[in-house]
Amino acid sequence: MLWLALALLVARLAGLGGEWPAGERAAHLGWVGWVLWFGVIDSGITVNYVLLPTVCMLAAIGIDLVAIGQHAAAVWPGARGQVARAALAGATLLVVADQWPGPGSLSARLASVRPTIDLPGMAAVRDSLRPSDKVACTDELACLLLVGRVDAWLALDDYVRDRFVVVRGSNAVGVYATAPVVLRPADLLEHRREGARSGRTIVVDVFKEYAVGNSRTWLPRALERDGLGMRALLQTPQARVVELGDLR
């Protein structure tokens, strides 16, 4: 798919396909710009971010194949034009076959590559939350999906801090849900010791695979560093929900 997209891009630049309006160029700009942007910010294109450039790439391939086929039919109205269009149709079938690798059903492969966050027992945990509880999360969007609120984003590693913390005014917040950024679990309990709030401190810790490794170990390591303990409210292969406690 990638090599065909690049070949068609070169072909359109060379004039094949006739007129190349800006609207048709936008599809190529979408996937090329996305790749370049992620390279500039050094974020790393993970499975969570490949859908948009892939869709743009497939759109560009379809647009270019149709344009070049129509141009070939106009330039070569006879058998040569038909052969060219048949070759382009074959290229389309190759792209379709390229997007269908691996054994098993499509739904099973999608579930393994991009699992939906579905935590059995999460409804009971969500119903048990009180307004006085403070809910922190290691993934802002997942927290909103699972709990419906996120009081703080617990950024436990420099990898995510460098890439997903933004400053608005004088406040550091998460890039997705603008939740206040907390760098250490102990900071979540400071308000408790000061008496500013009552209630529990709940952390929804979603496991994600990053370029630096899986985030599963980040919370236990941070709690050990701060001398804190946790009581598991829910434990699944995708995430854990814990209540923090001060053991000092």
Side-chain angles (χ1 to χ4, degrees):
M1 182 182 68
L2 175 59
W3 285 113
L4 181 60
L6 290 172
L8 292 173
L9 174 60
V10 173
R12 296 302 299 271
L13 288 171
L16 295 180
E19 183 183 359
W20 196 17
E24 295 184 0
R25 300 185 187 195
H28 281 292
L29 180 63
W31 74 264
V32 174
W34 189 260
V35 173
L36 292 177
W37 167 248
F38 267 72
V40 168
I41 65 176
D42 190 28
S43 179
I45 299 181
T46 67
V47 69
N48 303 317
Y49 298 99
V50 299
L51 181 59
L52 179 59
T54 301
V55 170
C56 290
M57 187 181 293
L58 290 171
I61 289 174
I63 291 170
D64 291 346
L65 287 173
V66 171
I68 294 174
Q70 291 176 344
H71 183 68
V75 174
W76 302 312
R80 293 175 61 188
Q82 296 300 324
V83 170
R85 299 185 74 172
L88 294 174
T92 303
L93 294 176
L94 288 177
V95 172
V96 173
D98 184 50
Q99 298 308 301
W100 202 270
S105 66
L106 177 61
S107 58
R109 282 182 277 131
L110 287 175
S112 63
V113 173
R114 184 67 175 93
T116 299
I117 298 177
D118 182 18
L119 307 184
M122 190 64 206
V125 174
R126 183 171 56 247
D127 293 341
S128 71
L129 294 176
R130 300 184 293 268
S132 59
D133 293 336
K134 184 168 189 175
V135 179
C137 196
T138 56
D139 186 303
E140 289 181 288
L141 296 182
C143 205
L144 289 176
L145 174 66
L146 296 170
V147 184
R149 56 186 272 206
V150 49
D151 301 324
W153 174 43
L154 189 56
L156 296 174
D157 190 87
D158 288 338
Y159 183 85
V160 295
R161 294 168 185 165
D162 294 341
R163 289 159 176 78
F164 304 115
V165 174
V166 296
V167 177
R168 296 193 174 182
S170 59
N171 300 318
V173 298
V175 69
Y176 292 115
T178 67
V181 173
V182 176
L183 304 181
R184 298 170 52 235
D187 295 337
L188 293 171
L189 299 178
E190 287 299 323
H191 296 295
R192 299 289 186 266
R193 285 194 280 269
E194 296 169 2
R197 294 176 60 125
S198 61
R200 303 172 298 170
T201 300
I202 306 297
V203 175
V204 181
D205 183 21
V206 176
F207 309 140
K208 298 183 69 176
E209 192 68 41
Y210 294 98
V212 295
N214 196 286
S215 64
R216 183 187 300 268
T217 62
W218 293 359
L219 180 60
R221 186 169 62 237
L223 291 174
E224 182 179 2
R225 188 183 304 119
D226 287 349
L228 299 176
M230 65 179 182
R231 181 173 69 91
L233 303 178
L234 184 65
Q235 183 78 38
T236 77
Q238 289 184 309
R240 64 167 72 94
V241 181
V242 301
E243 178 183 355
L244 298 190
D246 193 343
L247 302 181
R248 292 178 292 184

